PDB file of all heavy atoms in Angstrom:
ATOM      1  N   ALA X 610      94.022  -4.170 -33.121  1.00 87.00           N
ATOM      2  CA  ALA X 610      94.921  -3.342 -33.857  1.00 87.00           C
ATOM      3  C   ALA X 610      95.496  -2.276 -32.944  1.00 87.00           C
ATOM      4  O   ALA X 610      96.693  -1.907 -33.053  1.00 87.00           O
ATOM      5  CB  ALA X 610      94.003  -2.590 -34.930  1.00 87.00           C
ATOM      6  N   ALA X 611      94.732  -1.838 -32.065  1.00 87.00           N
ATOM      7  CA  ALA X 611      95.299  -0.843 -31.055  1.00 87.00           C
ATOM      8  C   ALA X 611      96.362  -1.411 -30.209  1.00 87.00           C
ATOM      9  O   ALA X 611      97.426  -0.745 -29.916  1.00 87.00           O
ATOM     10  CB  ALA X 611      94.048  -0.304 -30.124  1.00 87.00           C
ATOM     11  N   ILE X 612      96.226  -2.685 -29.869  1.00 90.00           N
ATOM     12  CA  ILE X 612      97.239  -3.450 -29.097  1.00 90.00           C
ATOM     13  C   ILE X 612      98.515  -3.393 -29.866  1.00 90.00           C
ATOM     14  O   ILE X 612      99.627  -3.098 -29.409  1.00 90.00           O
ATOM     15  CB  ILE X 612      96.798  -4.892 -28.664  1.00 90.00           C
ATOM     16  CG1 ILE X 612      95.630  -4.764 -27.609  1.00 90.00           C
ATOM     17  CG2 ILE X 612      97.993  -5.620 -28.115  1.00 90.00           C
ATOM     18  CD1 ILE X 612      94.989  -6.096 -27.340  1.00 90.00           C
ATOM     19  N   ILE X 613      98.342  -3.782 -31.189  1.00 90.00           N
ATOM     20  CA  ILE X 613      99.574  -3.971 -32.054  1.00 90.00           C
ATOM     21  C   ILE X 613     100.189  -2.611 -32.203  1.00 90.00           C
ATOM     22  O   ILE X 613     101.459  -2.391 -31.935  1.00 90.00           O
ATOM     23  CB  ILE X 613      99.121  -4.544 -33.347  1.00 90.00           C
ATOM     24  CG1 ILE X 613      98.806  -5.981 -33.217  1.00 90.00           C
ATOM     25  CG2 ILE X 613     100.358  -4.491 -34.383  1.00 90.00           C
ATOM     26  CD1 ILE X 613      98.011  -6.625 -34.381  1.00 90.00           C
ATOM     27  N   ALA X 614      99.335  -1.617 -32.532  1.00 89.00           N
ATOM     28  CA  ALA X 614      99.984  -0.235 -32.733  1.00 89.00           C
ATOM     29  C   ALA X 614     100.600   0.229 -31.408  1.00 89.00           C
ATOM     30  O   ALA X 614     101.829   0.697 -31.537  1.00 89.00           O
ATOM     31  CB  ALA X 614      98.911   0.682 -33.116  1.00 89.00           C
ATOM     32  N   SER X 615      99.968   0.106 -30.331  1.00 89.00           N
ATOM     33  CA  SER X 615     100.585   0.645 -29.100  1.00 89.00           C
ATOM     34  C   SER X 615     101.795  -0.228 -28.666  1.00 89.00           C
ATOM     35  O   SER X 615     102.768   0.279 -28.134  1.00 89.00           O
ATOM     36  CB  SER X 615      99.486   0.541 -27.988  1.00 89.00           C
ATOM     37  OG  SER X 615      98.430   1.431 -28.274  1.00 89.00           O
ATOM     38  N   GLY X 616     101.750  -1.496 -28.951  1.00 91.00           N
ATOM     39  CA  GLY X 616     102.849  -2.443 -28.648  1.00 91.00           C
ATOM     40  C   GLY X 616     104.067  -1.950 -29.543  1.00 91.00           C
ATOM     41  O   GLY X 616     105.195  -1.852 -28.960  1.00 91.00           O
ATOM     42  N   ASP X 617     103.735  -1.697 -30.787  1.00 90.00           N
ATOM     43  CA  ASP X 617     104.790  -1.202 -31.629  1.00 90.00           C
ATOM     44  C   ASP X 617     105.484   0.079 -31.061  1.00 90.00           C
ATOM     45  O   ASP X 617     106.673   0.191 -30.974  1.00 90.00           O
ATOM     46  CB  ASP X 617     104.341  -0.932 -33.123  1.00 90.00           C
ATOM     47  CG  ASP X 617     104.095  -2.211 -33.965  1.00 90.00           C
ATOM     48  OD1 ASP X 617     104.526  -3.297 -33.394  1.00 90.00           O
ATOM     49  OD2 ASP X 617     103.387  -2.176 -34.940  1.00 90.00           O
ATOM     50  N   SER X 618     104.642   1.019 -30.759  1.00 90.00           N
ATOM     51  CA  SER X 618     105.199   2.263 -30.387  1.00 90.00           C
ATOM     52  C   SER X 618     105.876   2.070 -29.026  1.00 90.00           C
ATOM     53  O   SER X 618     106.921   2.762 -28.752  1.00 90.00           O
ATOM     54  CB  SER X 618     104.097   3.322 -30.253  1.00 90.00           C
ATOM     55  OG  SER X 618     103.071   2.930 -29.550  1.00 90.00           O
ATOM     56  N   CYS X 619     105.374   1.228 -28.178  1.00 90.00           N
ATOM     57  CA  CYS X 619     106.025   0.905 -26.822  1.00 90.00           C
ATOM     58  C   CYS X 619     107.509   0.416 -27.246  1.00 90.00           C
ATOM     59  O   CYS X 619     108.431   0.926 -26.599  1.00 90.00           O
ATOM     60  CB  CYS X 619     105.251  -0.110 -26.100  1.00 90.00           C
ATOM     61  SG  CYS X 619     106.020  -0.567 -24.538  1.00 90.00           S
ATOM     62  N   THR X 620     107.632  -0.567 -28.092  1.00 91.00           N
ATOM     63  CA  THR X 620     108.857  -1.091 -28.461  1.00 91.00           C
ATOM     64  C   THR X 620     109.770  -0.014 -28.971  1.00 91.00           C
ATOM     65  O   THR X 620     110.939   0.137 -28.659  1.00 91.00           O
ATOM     66  CB  THR X 620     108.658  -2.167 -29.582  1.00 91.00           C
ATOM     67  OG1 THR X 620     107.608  -2.970 -29.222  1.00 91.00           O
ATOM     68  CG2 THR X 620     109.912  -3.068 -29.789  1.00 91.00           C
ATOM     69  N   ALA X 621     109.143   0.912 -29.884  1.00 90.00           N
ATOM     70  CA  ALA X 621     109.972   1.969 -30.439  1.00 90.00           C
ATOM     71  C   ALA X 621     110.449   2.917 -29.344  1.00 90.00           C
ATOM     72  O   ALA X 621     111.653   3.228 -29.355  1.00 90.00           O
ATOM     73  CB  ALA X 621     109.076   2.821 -31.439  1.00 90.00           C
ATOM     74  N   TRP X 622     109.626   3.276 -28.450  1.00 89.00           N
ATOM     75  CA  TRP X 622     110.116   4.174 -27.362  1.00 89.00           C
ATOM     76  C   TRP X 622     111.103   3.548 -26.577  1.00 89.00           C
ATOM     77  O   TRP X 622     112.073   4.064 -26.055  1.00 89.00           O
ATOM     78  CB  TRP X 622     108.922   4.550 -26.431  1.00 89.00           C
ATOM     79  CG  TRP X 622     107.860   5.458 -27.173  1.00 89.00           C
ATOM     80  CD1 TRP X 622     106.536   5.229 -27.393  1.00 89.00           C
ATOM     81  CD2 TRP X 622     108.171   6.712 -27.664  1.00 89.00           C
ATOM     82  NE1 TRP X 622     105.980   6.283 -27.967  1.00 89.00           N
ATOM     83  CE2 TRP X 622     106.895   7.253 -28.144  1.00 89.00           C
ATOM     84  CE3 TRP X 622     109.285   7.532 -27.777  1.00 89.00           C
ATOM     85  CZ2 TRP X 622     106.809   8.411 -28.823  1.00 89.00           C
ATOM     86  CZ3 TRP X 622     109.081   8.823 -28.458  1.00 89.00           C
ATOM     87  CH2 TRP X 622     107.921   9.137 -28.953  1.00 89.00           C
ATOM     88  N   LEU X 623     110.999   2.186 -26.404  1.00 89.00           N
ATOM     89  CA  LEU X 623     112.100   1.506 -25.519  1.00 89.00           C
ATOM     90  C   LEU X 623     113.390   1.408 -26.301  1.00 89.00           C
ATOM     91  O   LEU X 623     114.518   1.440 -25.769  1.00 89.00           O
ATOM     92  CB  LEU X 623     111.596   0.054 -25.154  1.00 89.00           C
ATOM     93  CG  LEU X 623     110.568   0.033 -24.109  1.00 89.00           C
ATOM     94  CD1 LEU X 623     109.912  -1.446 -23.923  1.00 89.00           C
ATOM     95  CD2 LEU X 623     111.065   0.537 -22.740  1.00 89.00           C
ATOM     96  N   ALA X 624     113.154   1.404 -27.645  1.00 89.00           N
ATOM     97  CA  ALA X 624     114.404   1.255 -28.501  1.00 89.00           C
ATOM     98  C   ALA X 624     115.118   2.675 -28.658  1.00 89.00           C
ATOM     99  O   ALA X 624     116.291   2.658 -28.972  1.00 89.00           O
ATOM    100  CB  ALA X 624     113.996   0.770 -29.918  1.00 89.00           C
ATOM    101  N   ASN X 625     114.641   3.619 -28.350  1.00 85.00           N
ATOM    102  CA  ASN X 625     115.213   4.959 -28.341  1.00 85.00           C
ATOM    103  C   ASN X 625     116.472   5.006 -27.387  1.00 85.00           C
ATOM    104  O   ASN X 625     116.529   4.259 -26.408  1.00 85.00           O
ATOM    105  CB  ASN X 625     114.237   6.008 -27.881  1.00 85.00           C
ATOM    106  CG  ASN X 625     113.508   6.660 -29.000  1.00 85.00           C
ATOM    107  OD1 ASN X 625     113.592   6.236 -30.173  1.00 85.00           O
ATOM    108  ND2 ASN X 625     112.671   7.662 -28.758  1.00 85.00           N
ATOM    109  N   ASN X 629     112.752   6.184 -24.095  1.00 89.00           N
ATOM    110  CA  ASN X 629     111.731   7.101 -23.466  1.00 89.00           C
ATOM    111  C   ASN X 629     110.753   6.229 -22.684  1.00 89.00           C
ATOM    112  O   ASN X 629     109.716   5.796 -23.147  1.00 89.00           O
ATOM    113  CB  ASN X 629     111.050   7.779 -24.576  1.00 89.00           C
ATOM    114  CG  ASN X 629     110.182   8.966 -24.072  1.00 89.00           C
ATOM    115  OD1 ASN X 629     109.802   8.971 -22.942  1.00 89.00           O
ATOM    116  ND2 ASN X 629     109.961  10.059 -24.870  1.00 89.00           N
ATOM    117  N   LEU X 630     111.098   6.119 -21.409  1.00 89.00           N
ATOM    118  CA  LEU X 630     110.304   5.218 -20.588  1.00 89.00           C
ATOM    119  C   LEU X 630     108.871   5.738 -20.393  1.00 89.00           C
ATOM    120  O   LEU X 630     107.897   4.994 -20.236  1.00 89.00           O
ATOM    121  CB  LEU X 630     110.989   5.028 -19.247  1.00 89.00           C
ATOM    122  CG  LEU X 630     112.253   4.187 -19.301  1.00 89.00           C
ATOM    123  CD1 LEU X 630     112.962   4.046 -17.918  1.00 89.00           C
ATOM    124  CD2 LEU X 630     111.966   2.822 -19.840  1.00 89.00           C
ATOM    125  N   ASP X 631     108.762   7.040 -20.233  1.00 91.00           N
ATOM    126  CA  ASP X 631     107.397   7.629 -20.074  1.00 91.00           C
ATOM    127  C   ASP X 631     106.501   7.389 -21.151  1.00 91.00           C
ATOM    128  O   ASP X 631     105.439   6.811 -21.011  1.00 91.00           O
ATOM    129  CB  ASP X 631     107.577   9.213 -19.873  1.00 91.00           C
ATOM    130  CG  ASP X 631     107.942   9.602 -18.434  1.00 91.00           C
ATOM    131  OD1 ASP X 631     107.923   8.616 -17.614  1.00 91.00           O
ATOM    132  OD2 ASP X 631     108.125  10.701 -18.232  1.00 91.00           O
ATOM    133  N   LYS X 632     106.990   7.661 -22.374  1.00 89.00           N
ATOM    134  CA  LYS X 632     106.182   7.306 -23.561  1.00 89.00           C
ATOM    135  C   LYS X 632     105.886   5.870 -23.700  1.00 89.00           C
ATOM    136  O   LYS X 632     104.765   5.385 -23.961  1.00 89.00           O
ATOM    137  CB  LYS X 632     106.877   7.782 -24.881  1.00 89.00           C
ATOM    138  CG  LYS X 632     107.101   9.301 -24.930  1.00 89.00           C
ATOM    139  CD  LYS X 632     105.959  10.037 -25.490  1.00 89.00           C
ATOM    140  CE  LYS X 632     106.378  11.527 -25.777  1.00 89.00           C
ATOM    141  NZ  LYS X 632     105.267  12.284 -26.158  1.00 89.00           N
ATOM    142  N   ALA X 633     106.884   4.988 -23.359  1.00 90.00           N
ATOM    143  CA  ALA X 633     106.746   3.507 -23.451  1.00 90.00           C
ATOM    144  C   ALA X 633     105.674   3.201 -22.381  1.00 90.00           C
ATOM    145  O   ALA X 633     104.832   2.197 -22.730  1.00 90.00           O
ATOM    146  CB  ALA X 633     108.025   2.791 -23.179  1.00 90.00           C
ATOM    147  N   ARG X 634     105.711   3.586 -21.191  1.00 91.00           N
ATOM    148  CA  ARG X 634     104.770   3.325 -20.186  1.00 91.00           C
ATOM    149  C   ARG X 634     103.358   3.695 -20.664  1.00 91.00           C
ATOM    150  O   ARG X 634     102.439   2.876 -20.489  1.00 91.00           O
ATOM    151  CB  ARG X 634     105.082   4.118 -18.869  1.00 91.00           C
ATOM    152  CG  ARG X 634     104.462   3.502 -17.644  1.00 91.00           C
ATOM    153  CD  ARG X 634     104.845   4.161 -16.396  1.00 91.00           C
ATOM    154  NE  ARG X 634     106.310   3.933 -16.170  1.00 91.00           N
ATOM    155  CZ  ARG X 634     107.220   4.874 -15.953  1.00 91.00           C
ATOM    156  NH1 ARG X 634     106.815   6.140 -16.091  1.00 91.00           N
ATOM    157  NH2 ARG X 634     108.466   4.607 -15.634  1.00 91.00           N
ATOM    158  N   THR X 635     103.221   4.865 -21.209  1.00 91.00           N
ATOM    159  CA  THR X 635     101.900   5.258 -21.741  1.00 91.00           C
ATOM    160  C   THR X 635     101.407   4.256 -22.860  1.00 91.00           C
ATOM    161  O   THR X 635     100.218   3.839 -22.802  1.00 91.00           O
ATOM    162  CB  THR X 635     101.984   6.680 -22.372  1.00 91.00           C
ATOM    163  OG1 THR X 635     102.677   7.570 -21.454  1.00 91.00           O
ATOM    164  CG2 THR X 635     100.531   7.259 -22.510  1.00 91.00           C
ATOM    165  N   ALA X 636     102.258   3.959 -23.725  1.00 90.00           N
ATOM    166  CA  ALA X 636     101.913   3.078 -24.779  1.00 90.00           C
ATOM    167  C   ALA X 636     101.566   1.602 -24.264  1.00 90.00           C
ATOM    168  O   ALA X 636     100.497   0.988 -24.626  1.00 90.00           O
ATOM    169  CB  ALA X 636     103.096   2.860 -25.794  1.00 90.00           C
ATOM    170  N   ALA X 637     102.379   1.262 -23.214  1.00 90.00           N
ATOM    171  CA  ALA X 637     102.026  -0.052 -22.571  1.00 90.00           C
ATOM    172  C   ALA X 637     100.590  -0.031 -21.898  1.00 90.00           C
ATOM    173  O   ALA X 637      99.862  -0.972 -22.038  1.00 90.00           O
ATOM    174  CB  ALA X 637     103.030  -0.345 -21.606  1.00 90.00           C
ATOM    175  N   ARG X 639      98.187   1.811 -22.823  1.00 90.00           N
ATOM    176  CA  ARG X 639      97.170   1.735 -23.845  1.00 90.00           C
ATOM    177  C   ARG X 639      96.996   0.259 -24.406  1.00 90.00           C
ATOM    178  O   ARG X 639      95.861  -0.139 -24.604  1.00 90.00           O
ATOM    179  CB  ARG X 639      97.639   2.576 -25.124  1.00 90.00           C
ATOM    180  CG  ARG X 639      97.165   4.058 -24.871  1.00 90.00           C
ATOM    181  CD  ARG X 639      97.079   4.780 -26.368  1.00 90.00           C
ATOM    182  NE  ARG X 639      98.290   4.716 -27.088  1.00 90.00           N
ATOM    183  CZ  ARG X 639      99.310   5.540 -27.054  1.00 90.00           C
ATOM    184  NH1 ARG X 639      99.255   6.558 -26.210  1.00 90.00           N
ATOM    185  NH2 ARG X 639     100.403   5.421 -27.900  1.00 90.00           N
ATOM    186  N   VAL X 640      98.147  -0.472 -24.308  1.00 90.00           N
ATOM    187  CA  VAL X 640      98.013  -1.952 -24.697  1.00 90.00           C
ATOM    188  C   VAL X 640      97.117  -2.555 -23.730  1.00 90.00           C
ATOM    189  O   VAL X 640      96.229  -3.305 -24.172  1.00 90.00           O
ATOM    190  CB  VAL X 640      99.403  -2.526 -24.751  1.00 90.00           C
ATOM    191  CG1 VAL X 640      99.249  -4.065 -24.948  1.00 90.00           C
ATOM    192  CG2 VAL X 640     100.229  -2.029 -25.951  1.00 90.00           C
TER     193      VAL X 640
END
Side-chain angles (χ1 to χ4, degrees):
I612 288 170
I613 292 164
S615 299
D617 280 353
S618 52
C619 179
T620 316
W622 293 120
L623 285 174
N625 267 6
N629 190 337
L630 290 178
D631 278 349
K632 298 271 190 188
R634 200 176 290 123
T635 313
R639 271 207 305 274
V640 169

